[in-house]
Amino acid sequence: MGISKRHHYIPQFLIKRFADEDNMLYLYDKEKGTFVKEKRSPKSVFFEMNRNTLDFGDTLNDNLEKLYAELDEKFSRDLNEIIKSENISEEGLMSLLIMVSSLKWRLPVNDKLFDEKDNHYTYDKLPISIKVINDDGSQNKEAIEHLLNSEIFSRTKRLIFPFLPFYENAEITPDKLLKLHQNSYINTNDKITSILGDSPLIESNSSDIEDFGNFILPLGNKETFICNDSGDKKVNSIAFYLNKDLAIYHQAKKYVVCRDKNHLVSIINTYHTVQGAGQVNLIHEHIFKFT
């Protein structure tokens, strides 16, 4: 059996939550300014060929993609349980927070940021330990050095970085977890429809990888995962939902999808109006004031 090639940078289980009753989506190409002629399935959007393929010289390996698949299975299971029970346990919330952090480093739009942080976060700054033992029980320093300088280790950091917000001085701290639990919640509104873009994570500070800060991530047509230190744990204005979609469209590098074409057209037109008025900067500035 050959290795996988179509690697989704947004998990398929998440994309499906934005699809219509037939599990299909309208796809808008932001660069071309046009809709793709035919509706698309979640399988056929938000992926890159061989994005997570590792090259071992004479062998290609998709173990990194398989690890993402295992994580996605758990994230999907935990999210479904939360939505079904309308209750977020500490374990469930931790799973969602790790999902958000993991998604950040999977997105192509963050590749440049990853390269910057890859150079900064050397092995000694990460909460991990690598050992290669010789037959006599001693450490194989040469093998370790070769691994640390390899592209494989660099690519693997995409799986390590998501856990950094939970650590302080190489240990998971209760204070950090408590803060995240106090600030995080899922907002549900059955009267709205949401769009999804290729850069769906809205952050107050995307460059700090050791602290979540405030963030917003749409989880489907009706649900939005929010982390905000305002203390309210509620959406304070109906304007939030429009602003959220405008932010998702603004951040998108190329592709945006929605189950309702008319809704997406409305968002695009509103964005162009805001852009024409020179007020695009206000979209991100105001969004966290509504939560």
Side-chain angles (χ1 to χ4, degrees):
M1 180 182 296
I3 65 172
S4 62
K5 295 181 179 180
R6 187 179 296 199
H7 298 165
H8 286 79
Y9 48 84
I10 298 179
Q12 286 191 68
F13 79 85
L14 194 61
I15 304 171
K16 289 177 181 178
R17 298 184 58 82
F18 292 82
D20 62 18
E21 294 79 3
D22 298 322
N23 198 34
M24 301 296 285
L25 294 149
Y26 290 97
L27 176 67
Y28 184 77
D29 188 321
K30 189 177 174 182
E31 290 182 345
K32 295 180 180 179
T34 58
F35 279 90
V36 175
K37 288 185 178 181
E38 296 184 357
K39 294 168 72 174
R40 297 291 184 89
S41 69
K43 182 180 179 180
S44 62
V45 295
F46 301 135
F47 71 90
E48 284 187 3
M49 300 300 288
N50 296 309
R51 177 166 174 80
N52 299 315
T53 301
L54 299 175
D55 189 347
F56 285 85
D58 58 347
T59 306
L60 297 179
N61 184 293
D62 66 346
N63 283 344
L64 186 59
E65 177 66 14
K66 289 176 180 176
L67 284 172
Y68 277 128
E70 290 184 16
L71 286 172
D72 288 345
E73 186 176 344
K74 174 174 174 49
F75 295 150
S76 176
R77 187 168 58 246
D78 292 342
L79 177 57
N80 287 336
E81 179 59 31
I82 289 170
I83 299 300
K84 180 180 178 181
S85 65
E86 298 182 348
N87 177 60
I88 309 180
S89 65
E90 287 190 6
E91 181 181 351
L93 182 56
M94 177 62 72
S95 177
L96 290 188
L97 289 168
I98 294 173
M99 179 190 78
V100 171
S101 196
S102 174
L103 176 63
K104 174 175 180 171
W105 299 110
R106 291 172 71 169
L107 300 174
V109 72
N110 285 332
D111 283 350
K112 184 177 179 180
L113 178 62
F114 174 78
D115 290 340
E116 294 173 0
K117 300 303 181 181
D118 177 25
N119 293 328
H120 177 75
Y121 283 87
T122 51
Y123 171 63
D124 57 297
K125 294 181 180 179
L126 297 173
I128 61 172
S129 178
I130 297 176
K131 295 182 178 180
V132 180
I133 307 300
N134 293 316
D135 292 340
D136 62 2
S138 63
Q139 284 268 31
N140 190 329
K141 295 181 180 180
E142 183 178 344
I144 294 176
E145 188 68 21
H146 177 74
L147 175 61
L148 297 181
N149 291 323
S150 69
E151 181 187 359
I152 295 172
F153 179 67
S154 176
R155 300 276 295 279
T156 302
K157 288 182 184 177
R158 290 188 188 271
L159 291 170
I160 300 174
F161 282 179
F163 294 91
L164 294 183
F166 306 101
Y167 282 82
E168 189 167 343
N169 297 325
E171 291 185 0
I172 295 180
T173 61
D175 289 344
K176 277 201 168 188
L177 297 183
L178 179 61
K179 176 186 174 183
L180 289 169
H181 286 173
Q182 291 173 336
N183 295 343
S184 303
Y185 64 102
I186 292 178
N187 171 265
T188 301
N189 189 329
D190 293 331
K191 297 180 180 180
I192 66 167
T193 296
S194 296
I195 70 172
L196 179 68
D198 55 29
S199 178
L201 180 59
I202 305 167
E203 297 182 89
S204 60
N205 183 1
S206 62
S207 64
D208 187 352
I209 75 172
E210 295 189 34
D211 192 349
F212 270 109
N214 296 332
F215 71 79
I216 295 166
L217 176 68
L219 295 176
N221 282 302
K222 311 301 180 185
E223 298 88 16
T224 308
F225 190 27
I226 300 170
C227 182
N228 193 355
D229 55 16
S230 67
D232 288 345
K233 297 189 84 166
K234 65 178 181 180
V235 170
N236 298 312
S237 171
I238 192 68
F240 167 80
Y241 302 106
L242 171 60
N243 217 44
K244 172 178 64 70
D245 278 357
L246 289 174
I248 293 295
Y249 181 81
H250 174 67
Q251 290 188 173
K253 186 176 181 180
K254 184 171 183 178
Y255 293 119
V256 185
V257 299
C258 186
R259 65 182 295 170
D260 185 334
K261 185 176 183 179
N262 291 332
H263 177 72
L264 181 49
V265 169
S266 174
I267 295 299
I268 295 169
N269 291 338
T270 302
Y271 179 82
H272 288 159
T273 299
V274 173
Q275 187 179 47
Q279 297 179 331
V280 168
N281 62 302
L282 297 181
I283 296 173
H284 192 274
E285 181 180 324
H286 287 170
I287 192 165
F288 290 102
K289 296 179 181 179
F290 295 137
T291 61

